[in-house]
PDB file of all heavy atoms in Angstrom:
ATOM      1  N   LEU A 292       0.836  -1.198   0.000  1.00 98.00           N
ATOM      2  CA  LEU A 292       0.000   0.000   0.000  1.00 98.00           C
ATOM      3  C   LEU A 292       0.874   1.253   0.000  1.00 98.00           C
ATOM      4  O   LEU A 292       1.794   1.369   0.814  1.00 98.00           O
ATOM      5  CB  LEU A 292      -0.915   0.010   1.217  1.00 98.00           C
ATOM      6  CG  LEU A 292      -1.896  -1.166   1.322  1.00 98.00           C
ATOM      7  CD1 LEU A 292      -2.610  -1.139   2.661  1.00 98.00           C
ATOM      8  CD2 LEU A 292      -2.888  -1.144   0.171  1.00 98.00           C
ATOM      9  N   HIS A 293       0.571   2.187  -0.882  1.00 98.00           N
ATOM     10  CA  HIS A 293       1.324   3.437  -0.942  1.00 98.00           C
ATOM     11  C   HIS A 293       0.991   4.287   0.285  1.00 98.00           C
ATOM     12  O   HIS A 293      -0.184   4.449   0.643  1.00 98.00           O
ATOM     13  CB  HIS A 293       0.971   4.210  -2.218  1.00 98.00           C
ATOM     14  CG  HIS A 293       1.934   5.309  -2.542  1.00 98.00           C
ATOM     15  ND1 HIS A 293       1.941   6.503  -1.850  1.00 98.00           N
ATOM     16  CD2 HIS A 293       2.932   5.391  -3.465  1.00 98.00           C
ATOM     17  CE1 HIS A 293       2.889   7.281  -2.337  1.00 98.00           C
ATOM     18  NE2 HIS A 293       3.511   6.634  -3.315  1.00 98.00           N
ATOM     19  N   PRO A 294       1.996   4.856   0.952  1.00 98.00           N
ATOM     20  CA  PRO A 294       1.755   5.605   2.195  1.00 98.00           C
ATOM     21  C   PRO A 294       0.920   6.866   2.029  1.00 98.00           C
ATOM     22  O   PRO A 294       0.355   7.365   3.002  1.00 98.00           O
ATOM     23  CB  PRO A 294       3.165   5.948   2.688  1.00 98.00           C
ATOM     24  CG  PRO A 294       4.033   5.843   1.484  1.00 98.00           C
ATOM     25  CD  PRO A 294       3.441   4.765   0.645  1.00 98.00           C
ATOM     26  N   GLU A 295       0.806   7.387   0.786  1.00 98.00           N
ATOM     27  CA  GLU A 295       0.045   8.618   0.566  1.00 98.00           C
ATOM     28  C   GLU A 295      -1.403   8.369   0.174  1.00 98.00           C
ATOM     29  O   GLU A 295      -2.168   9.328   0.044  1.00 98.00           O
ATOM     30  CB  GLU A 295       0.740   9.476  -0.498  1.00 98.00           C
ATOM     31  CG  GLU A 295       2.080  10.028  -0.037  1.00 98.00           C
ATOM     32  CD  GLU A 295       2.745  10.898  -1.077  1.00 98.00           C
ATOM     33  OE1 GLU A 295       2.706  10.531  -2.272  1.00 98.00           O
ATOM     34  OE2 GLU A 295       3.297  11.941  -0.700  1.00 98.00           O
ATOM     35  N   ARG A 296      -1.793   7.128   0.017  1.00 98.00           N
ATOM     36  CA  ARG A 296      -3.206   6.850  -0.246  1.00 98.00           C
ATOM     37  C   ARG A 296      -4.035   7.250   0.964  1.00 98.00           C
ATOM     38  O   ARG A 296      -3.604   7.092   2.112  1.00 98.00           O
ATOM     39  CB  ARG A 296      -3.415   5.370  -0.550  1.00 98.00           C
ATOM     40  CG  ARG A 296      -3.046   4.971  -1.956  1.00 98.00           C
ATOM     41  CD  ARG A 296      -3.442   3.543  -2.235  1.00 98.00           C
ATOM     42  NE  ARG A 296      -4.867   3.296  -2.042  1.00 98.00           N
ATOM     43  CZ  ARG A 296      -5.436   2.088  -2.171  1.00 98.00           C
ATOM     44  NH1 ARG A 296      -4.686   1.039  -2.463  1.00 98.00           N
ATOM     45  NH2 ARG A 296      -6.728   1.943  -1.987  1.00 98.00           N
ATOM     46  N   THR A 297      -5.232   7.748   0.737  1.00 98.00           N
ATOM     47  CA  THR A 297      -6.078   8.094   1.880  1.00 98.00           C
ATOM     48  C   THR A 297      -6.579   6.816   2.542  1.00 98.00           C
ATOM     49  O   THR A 297      -6.770   5.785   1.879  1.00 98.00           O
ATOM     50  CB  THR A 297      -7.288   8.941   1.446  1.00 98.00           C
ATOM     51  OG1 THR A 297      -8.128   8.165   0.574  1.00 98.00           O
ATOM     52  CG2 THR A 297      -6.824  10.221   0.753  1.00 98.00           C
ATOM     53  N   ALA A 298      -6.797   6.909   3.835  1.00 98.00           N
ATOM     54  CA  ALA A 298      -7.283   5.743   4.571  1.00 98.00           C
ATOM     55  C   ALA A 298      -8.619   5.269   4.019  1.00 98.00           C
ATOM     56  O   ALA A 298      -8.863   4.065   3.883  1.00 98.00           O
ATOM     57  CB  ALA A 298      -7.405   6.088   6.055  1.00 98.00           C
ATOM     58  N   ALA A 299      -9.469   6.210   3.658  1.00 98.00           N
ATOM     59  CA  ALA A 299     -10.805   5.864   3.175  1.00 98.00           C
ATOM     60  C   ALA A 299     -10.777   5.167   1.820  1.00 98.00           C
ATOM     61  O   ALA A 299     -11.747   4.499   1.439  1.00 98.00           O
ATOM     62  CB  ALA A 299     -11.675   7.111   3.091  1.00 98.00           C
ATOM     63  N   SER A 300      -9.694   5.314   1.078  1.00 97.00           N
ATOM     64  CA  SER A 300      -9.623   4.715  -0.257  1.00 97.00           C
ATOM     65  C   SER A 300      -9.330   3.223  -0.218  1.00 97.00           C
ATOM     66  O   SER A 300      -9.471   2.533  -1.222  1.00 97.00           O
ATOM     67  CB  SER A 300      -8.544   5.416  -1.098  1.00 97.00           C
ATOM     68  OG  SER A 300      -7.233   5.030  -0.676  1.00 97.00           O
ATOM     69  N   LEU A 301      -8.925   2.714   0.932  1.00 98.00           N
ATOM     70  CA  LEU A 301      -8.577   1.295   1.016  1.00 98.00           C
ATOM     71  C   LEU A 301      -9.825   0.428   0.969  1.00 98.00           C
ATOM     72  O   LEU A 301     -10.842   0.723   1.625  1.00 98.00           O
ATOM     73  CB  LEU A 301      -7.811   1.007   2.317  1.00 98.00           C
ATOM     74  CG  LEU A 301      -6.283   1.124   2.258  1.00 98.00           C
ATOM     75  CD1 LEU A 301      -5.861   2.529   1.854  1.00 98.00           C
ATOM     76  CD2 LEU A 301      -5.673   0.751   3.597  1.00 98.00           C
ATOM     77  N   THR A 302      -9.754  -0.643   0.205  1.00 98.00           N
ATOM     78  CA  THR A 302     -10.859  -1.593   0.157  1.00 98.00           C
ATOM     79  C   THR A 302     -10.832  -2.474   1.395  1.00 98.00           C
ATOM     80  O   THR A 302      -9.829  -2.523   2.128  1.00 98.00           O
ATOM     81  CB  THR A 302     -10.758  -2.481  -1.083  1.00 98.00           C
ATOM     82  OG1 THR A 302      -9.584  -3.318  -0.968  1.00 98.00           O
ATOM     83  CG2 THR A 302     -10.646  -1.636  -2.357  1.00 98.00           C
ATOM     84  N   GLU A 303     -11.908  -3.180   1.611  1.00 98.00           N
ATOM     85  CA  GLU A 303     -11.951  -4.078   2.762  1.00 98.00           C
ATOM     86  C   GLU A 303     -10.860  -5.141   2.661  1.00 98.00           C
ATOM     87  O   GLU A 303     -10.217  -5.487   3.657  1.00 98.00           O
ATOM     88  CB  GLU A 303     -13.323  -4.739   2.866  1.00 98.00           C
ATOM     89  CG  GLU A 303     -13.502  -5.561   4.130  1.00 98.00           C
ATOM     90  CD  GLU A 303     -14.938  -6.017   4.321  1.00 98.00           C
ATOM     91  OE1 GLU A 303     -15.771  -5.768   3.428  1.00 98.00           O
ATOM     92  OE2 GLU A 303     -15.219  -6.621   5.378  1.00 98.00           O
ATOM     93  N   GLU A 304     -10.631  -5.654   1.453  1.00 98.00           N
ATOM     94  CA  GLU A 304      -9.592  -6.659   1.253  1.00 98.00           C
ATOM     95  C   GLU A 304      -8.209  -6.093   1.577  1.00 98.00           C
ATOM     96  O   GLU A 304      -7.382  -6.772   2.195  1.00 98.00           O
ATOM     97  CB  GLU A 304      -9.616  -7.148  -0.198  1.00 98.00           C
ATOM     98  CG  GLU A 304      -8.569  -8.195  -0.509  1.00 98.00           C
ATOM     99  CD  GLU A 304      -8.589  -8.622  -1.975  1.00 98.00           C
ATOM    100  OE1 GLU A 304      -9.526  -8.206  -2.705  1.00 98.00           O
ATOM    101  OE2 GLU A 304      -7.671  -9.348  -2.387  1.00 98.00           O
ATOM    102  N   GLU A 305      -7.956  -4.843   1.190  1.00 98.00           N
ATOM    103  CA  GLU A 305      -6.664  -4.220   1.484  1.00 98.00           C
ATOM    104  C   GLU A 305      -6.476  -4.002   2.977  1.00 98.00           C
ATOM    105  O   GLU A 305      -5.371  -4.178   3.507  1.00 98.00           O
ATOM    106  CB  GLU A 305      -6.543  -2.888   0.732  1.00 98.00           C
ATOM    107  CG  GLU A 305      -6.354  -3.054  -0.766  1.00 98.00           C
ATOM    108  CD  GLU A 305      -6.390  -1.735  -1.509  1.00 98.00           C
ATOM    109  OE1 GLU A 305      -7.159  -0.835  -1.076  1.00 98.00           O
ATOM    110  OE2 GLU A 305      -5.685  -1.595  -2.515  1.00 98.00           O
ATOM    111  N   VAL A 306      -7.535  -3.643   3.672  1.00 98.00           N
ATOM    112  CA  VAL A 306      -7.438  -3.434   5.117  1.00 98.00           C
ATOM    113  C   VAL A 306      -7.186  -4.754   5.831  1.00 98.00           C
ATOM    114  O   VAL A 306      -6.407  -4.807   6.795  1.00 98.00           O
ATOM    115  CB  VAL A 306      -8.711  -2.747   5.650  1.00 98.00           C
ATOM    116  CG1 VAL A 306      -8.704  -2.722   7.178  1.00 98.00           C
ATOM    117  CG2 VAL A 306      -8.825  -1.337   5.109  1.00 98.00           C
ATOM    118  N   VAL A 307      -7.813  -5.810   5.376  1.00 98.00           N
ATOM    119  CA  VAL A 307      -7.567  -7.135   5.963  1.00 98.00           C
ATOM    120  C   VAL A 307      -6.089  -7.499   5.813  1.00 98.00           C
ATOM    121  O   VAL A 307      -5.456  -8.000   6.756  1.00 98.00           O
ATOM    122  CB  VAL A 307      -8.464  -8.202   5.306  1.00 98.00           C
ATOM    123  CG1 VAL A 307      -8.005  -9.608   5.716  1.00 98.00           C
ATOM    124  CG2 VAL A 307      -9.917  -7.980   5.694  1.00 98.00           C
ATOM    125  N   ARG A 308      -5.542  -7.222   4.642  1.00 98.00           N
ATOM    126  CA  ARG A 308      -4.124  -7.509   4.407  1.00 98.00           C
ATOM    127  C   ARG A 308      -3.233  -6.631   5.286  1.00 98.00           C
ATOM    128  O   ARG A 308      -2.255  -7.098   5.868  1.00 98.00           O
ATOM    129  CB  ARG A 308      -3.806  -7.282   2.931  1.00 98.00           C
ATOM    130  CG  ARG A 308      -2.423  -7.750   2.514  1.00 98.00           C
ATOM    131  CD  ARG A 308      -2.283  -7.811   1.007  1.00 98.00           C
ATOM    132  NE  ARG A 308      -2.255  -6.503   0.387  1.00 98.00           N
ATOM    133  CZ  ARG A 308      -3.155  -6.064  -0.505  1.00 98.00           C
ATOM    134  NH1 ARG A 308      -4.172  -6.840  -0.862  1.00 98.00           N
ATOM    135  NH2 ARG A 308      -3.045  -4.858  -1.029  1.00 98.00           N
ATOM    136  N   LEU A 309      -3.579  -5.357   5.394  1.00 98.00           N
ATOM    137  CA  LEU A 309      -2.810  -4.431   6.223  1.00 98.00           C
ATOM    138  C   LEU A 309      -2.862  -4.844   7.690  1.00 98.00           C
ATOM    139  O   LEU A 309      -1.836  -4.815   8.387  1.00 98.00           O
ATOM    140  CB  LEU A 309      -3.354  -3.009   6.062  1.00 98.00           C
ATOM    141  CG  LEU A 309      -2.710  -1.936   6.948  1.00 98.00           C
ATOM    142  CD1 LEU A 309      -1.220  -1.812   6.671  1.00 98.00           C
ATOM    143  CD2 LEU A 309      -3.418  -0.582   6.728  1.00 98.00           C
ATOM    144  N   HIS A 310      -4.025  -5.225   8.163  1.00 98.00           N
ATOM    145  CA  HIS A 310      -4.188  -5.678   9.547  1.00 98.00           C
ATOM    146  C   HIS A 310      -3.233  -6.830   9.848  1.00 98.00           C
ATOM    147  O   HIS A 310      -2.511  -6.832  10.854  1.00 98.00           O
ATOM    148  CB  HIS A 310      -5.643  -6.091   9.768  1.00 98.00           C
ATOM    149  CG  HIS A 310      -5.907  -6.760  11.080  1.00 98.00           C
ATOM    150  ND1 HIS A 310      -5.932  -8.136  11.219  1.00 98.00           N
ATOM    151  CD2 HIS A 310      -6.152  -6.264  12.318  1.00 98.00           C
ATOM    152  CE1 HIS A 310      -6.194  -8.449  12.472  1.00 98.00           C
ATOM    153  NE2 HIS A 310      -6.329  -7.330  13.163  1.00 98.00           N
ATOM    154  N   LYS A 311      -3.215  -7.814   8.959  1.00 98.00           N
ATOM    155  CA  LYS A 311      -2.331  -8.974   9.130  1.00 98.00           C
ATOM    156  C   LYS A 311      -0.864  -8.544   9.141  1.00 98.00           C
ATOM    157  O   LYS A 311      -0.073  -9.010   9.972  1.00 98.00           O
ATOM    158  CB  LYS A 311      -2.572  -9.982   8.007  1.00 98.00           C
ATOM    159  CG  LYS A 311      -1.617 -11.171   8.015  1.00 98.00           C
ATOM    160  CD  LYS A 311      -1.893 -12.104   6.855  1.00 98.00           C
ATOM    161  CE  LYS A 311      -1.494 -11.487   5.512  1.00 98.00           C
ATOM    162  NZ  LYS A 311      -0.021 -11.334   5.369  1.00 98.00           N
ATOM    163  N   ASP A 312      -0.500  -7.628   8.236  1.00 98.00           N
ATOM    164  CA  ASP A 312       0.907  -7.243   8.116  1.00 98.00           C
ATOM    165  C   ASP A 312       1.362  -6.334   9.250  1.00 98.00           C
ATOM    166  O   ASP A 312       2.548  -6.346   9.615  1.00 98.00           O
ATOM    167  CB  ASP A 312       1.148  -6.584   6.760  1.00 98.00           C
ATOM    168  CG  ASP A 312       1.096  -7.595   5.621  1.00 98.00           C
ATOM    169  OD1 ASP A 312       1.615  -8.707   5.810  1.00 98.00           O
ATOM    170  OD2 ASP A 312       0.535  -7.292   4.557  1.00 98.00           O
ATOM    171  N   ILE A 313       0.471  -5.560   9.825  1.00 98.00           N
ATOM    172  CA  ILE A 313       0.820  -4.784  11.027  1.00 98.00           C
ATOM    173  C   ILE A 313       1.189  -5.733  12.154  1.00 98.00           C
ATOM    174  O   ILE A 313       2.231  -5.586  12.814  1.00 98.00           O
ATOM    175  CB  ILE A 313      -0.359  -3.879  11.459  1.00 98.00           C
ATOM    176  CG1 ILE A 313      -0.522  -2.700  10.491  1.00 98.00           C
ATOM    177  CG2 ILE A 313      -0.148  -3.365  12.895  1.00 98.00           C
ATOM    178  CD1 ILE A 313      -1.769  -1.873  10.744  1.00 98.00           C
ATOM    179  N   ILE A 314       0.352  -6.726  12.378  1.00 97.00           N
ATOM    180  CA  ILE A 314       0.588  -7.676  13.468  1.00 97.00           C
ATOM    181  C   ILE A 314       1.867  -8.463  13.227  1.00 97.00           C
ATOM    182  O   ILE A 314       2.704  -8.610  14.135  1.00 97.00           O
ATOM    183  CB  ILE A 314      -0.617  -8.628  13.615  1.00 97.00           C
ATOM    184  CG1 ILE A 314      -1.853  -7.843  14.076  1.00 97.00           C
ATOM    185  CG2 ILE A 314      -0.297  -9.761  14.593  1.00 97.00           C
ATOM    186  CD1 ILE A 314      -3.129  -8.663  14.082  1.00 97.00           C
ATOM    187  N   GLU A 315       2.061  -8.953  12.015  1.00 96.00           N
ATOM    188  CA  GLU A 315       3.248  -9.754  11.725  1.00 96.00           C
ATOM    189  C   GLU A 315       4.525  -8.921  11.834  1.00 96.00           C
ATOM    190  O   GLU A 315       5.549  -9.404  12.337  1.00 96.00           O
ATOM    191  CB  GLU A 315       3.126 -10.377  10.340  1.00 96.00           C
ATOM    192  CG  GLU A 315       2.081 -11.487  10.267  1.00 96.00           C
ATOM    193  CD  GLU A 315       2.024 -12.141   8.905  1.00 96.00           C
ATOM    194  OE1 GLU A 315       2.750 -11.687   7.982  1.00 96.00           O
ATOM    195  OE2 GLU A 315       1.264 -13.124   8.749  1.00 96.00           O
ATOM    196  N   THR A 316       4.478  -7.678  11.373  1.00 95.00           N
ATOM    197  CA  THR A 316       5.646  -6.807  11.464  1.00 95.00           C
ATOM    198  C   THR A 316       6.024  -6.574  12.924  1.00 95.00           C
ATOM    199  O   THR A 316       7.201  -6.680  13.299  1.00 95.00           O
ATOM    200  CB  THR A 316       5.373  -5.458  10.778  1.00 95.00           C
ATOM    201  OG1 THR A 316       5.114  -5.678   9.381  1.00 95.00           O
ATOM    202  CG2 THR A 316       6.555  -4.511  10.916  1.00 95.00           C
ATOM    203  N   LEU A 317       5.038  -6.254  13.756  1.00 94.00           N
ATOM    204  CA  LEU A 317       5.314  -5.987  15.164  1.00 94.00           C
ATOM    205  C   LEU A 317       5.800  -7.240  15.892  1.00 94.00           C
ATOM    206  O   LEU A 317       6.738  -7.181  16.686  1.00 94.00           O
ATOM    207  CB  LEU A 317       4.063  -5.424  15.846  1.00 94.00           C
ATOM    208  CG  LEU A 317       3.628  -4.027  15.387  1.00 94.00           C
ATOM    209  CD1 LEU A 317       2.321  -3.636  16.057  1.00 94.00           C
ATOM    210  CD2 LEU A 317       4.710  -2.999  15.698  1.00 94.00           C
ATOM    211  N   ARG A 318       5.186  -8.373  15.612  1.00 92.00           N
ATOM    212  CA  ARG A 318       5.611  -9.612  16.263  1.00 92.00           C
ATOM    213  C   ARG A 318       7.031  -9.988  15.870  1.00 92.00           C
ATOM    214  O   ARG A 318       7.832 -10.406  16.713  1.00 92.00           O
ATOM    215  CB  ARG A 318       4.636 -10.745  15.925  1.00 92.00           C
ATOM    216  CG  ARG A 318       3.327 -10.663  16.696  1.00 92.00           C
ATOM    217  CD  ARG A 318       2.380 -11.787  16.344  1.00 92.00           C
ATOM    218  NE  ARG A 318       1.183 -11.754  17.182  1.00 92.00           N
ATOM    219  CZ  ARG A 318       0.088 -12.458  16.939  1.00 92.00           C
ATOM    220  NH1 ARG A 318       0.036 -13.245  15.871  1.00 92.00           N
ATOM    221  NH2 ARG A 318      -0.952 -12.360  17.748  1.00 92.00           N
ATOM    222  N   ASP A 319       7.362  -9.835  14.595  1.00 90.00           N
ATOM    223  CA  ASP A 319       8.725 -10.120  14.144  1.00 90.00           C
ATOM    224  C   ASP A 319       9.725  -9.201  14.841  1.00 90.00           C
ATOM    225  O   ASP A 319      10.807  -9.631  15.258  1.00 90.00           O
ATOM    226  CB  ASP A 319       8.836  -9.938  12.629  1.00 90.00           C
ATOM    227  CG  ASP A 319       8.135 -11.045  11.844  1.00 90.00           C
ATOM    228  OD1 ASP A 319       7.744 -12.054  12.466  1.00 90.00           O
ATOM    229  OD2 ASP A 319       7.975 -10.889  10.617  1.00 90.00           O
ATOM    230  N   ALA A 320       9.363  -7.918  14.968  1.00 89.00           N
ATOM    231  CA  ALA A 320      10.259  -6.952  15.599  1.00 89.00           C
ATOM    232  C   ALA A 320      10.449  -7.252  17.079  1.00 89.00           C
ATOM    233  O   ALA A 320      11.567  -7.145  17.612  1.00 89.00           O
ATOM    234  CB  ALA A 320       9.725  -5.535  15.409  1.00 89.00           C
ATOM    235  N   VAL A 321       9.369  -7.633  17.767  1.00 88.00           N
ATOM    236  CA  VAL A 321       9.473  -7.977  19.191  1.00 88.00           C
ATOM    237  C   VAL A 321      10.395  -9.183  19.376  1.00 88.00           C
ATOM    238  O   VAL A 321      11.238  -9.213  20.282  1.00 88.00           O
ATOM    239  CB  VAL A 321       8.080  -8.255  19.794  1.00 88.00           C
ATOM    240  CG1 VAL A 321       8.218  -8.866  21.184  1.00 88.00           C
ATOM    241  CG2 VAL A 321       7.260  -6.974  19.865  1.00 88.00           C
ATOM    242  N   GLU A 322      10.260 -10.178  18.496  1.00 85.00           N
ATOM    243  CA  GLU A 322      11.108 -11.370  18.586  1.00 85.00           C
ATOM    244  C   GLU A 322      12.583 -11.027  18.414  1.00 85.00           C
ATOM    245  O   GLU A 322      13.456 -11.680  18.996  1.00 85.00           O
ATOM    246  CB  GLU A 322      10.684 -12.386  17.525  1.00 85.00           C
ATOM    247  CG  GLU A 322       9.366 -13.081  17.811  1.00 85.00           C
ATOM    248  CD  GLU A 322       8.974 -14.049  16.711  1.00 85.00           C
ATOM    249  OE1 GLU A 322       9.796 -14.244  15.777  1.00 85.00           O
ATOM    250  OE2 GLU A 322       7.867 -14.605  16.770  1.00 85.00           O
ATOM    251  N   GLN A 323      12.860  -9.977  17.631  1.00 81.00           N
ATOM    252  CA  GLN A 323      14.247  -9.567  17.379  1.00 81.00           C
ATOM    253  C   GLN A 323      14.735  -8.512  18.374  1.00 81.00           C
ATOM    254  O   GLN A 323      15.843  -8.004  18.239  1.00 81.00           O
ATOM    255  CB  GLN A 323      14.371  -9.026  15.948  1.00 81.00           C
ATOM    256  CG  GLN A 323      14.149 -10.069  14.875  1.00 81.00           C
ATOM    257  CD  GLN A 323      15.184 -11.173  14.925  1.00 81.00           C
ATOM    258  OE1 GLN A 323      16.382 -10.917  15.021  1.00 81.00           O
ATOM    259  NE2 GLN A 323      14.729 -12.423  14.871  1.00 81.00           N
ATOM    260  N   GLY A 324      13.896  -8.164  19.356  1.00 76.00           N
ATOM    261  CA  GLY A 324      14.303  -7.192  20.360  1.00 76.00           C
ATOM    262  C   GLY A 324      14.219  -5.764  19.895  1.00 76.00           C
ATOM    263  O   GLY A 324      14.852  -4.879  20.474  1.00 76.00           O
ATOM    264  N   GLY A 325      13.419  -5.502  18.843  1.00 68.00           N
ATOM    265  CA  GLY A 325      13.277  -4.141  18.334  1.00 68.00           C
ATOM    266  C   GLY A 325      14.366  -3.788  17.336  1.00 68.00           C
ATOM    267  O   GLY A 325      15.143  -4.635  16.900  1.00 68.00           O
ATOM    268  N   SER A 326      14.394  -2.494  16.971  1.00 58.00           N
ATOM    269  CA  SER A 326      15.356  -1.992  15.987  1.00 58.00           C
ATOM    270  C   SER A 326      16.262  -0.950  16.621  1.00 58.00           C
ATOM    271  O   SER A 326      15.783   0.045  17.164  1.00 58.00           O
ATOM    272  CB  SER A 326      14.627  -1.355  14.794  1.00 58.00           C
ATOM    273  OG  SER A 326      13.779  -2.286  14.160  1.00 58.00           O
TER     274      SER A 326
END
C-alpha cells in the first residue's frame, strides 16, 4: 500500500491484508528485540 493513499480509499480486502501485516511486522520486531 502506498503511504500517501487516503485511509478511506482502502478496500476491505486491502485493510484485511494491512491488519495482518501490522501484526506480523510488530511480532517479528518484538522477537528480534526491536530496531
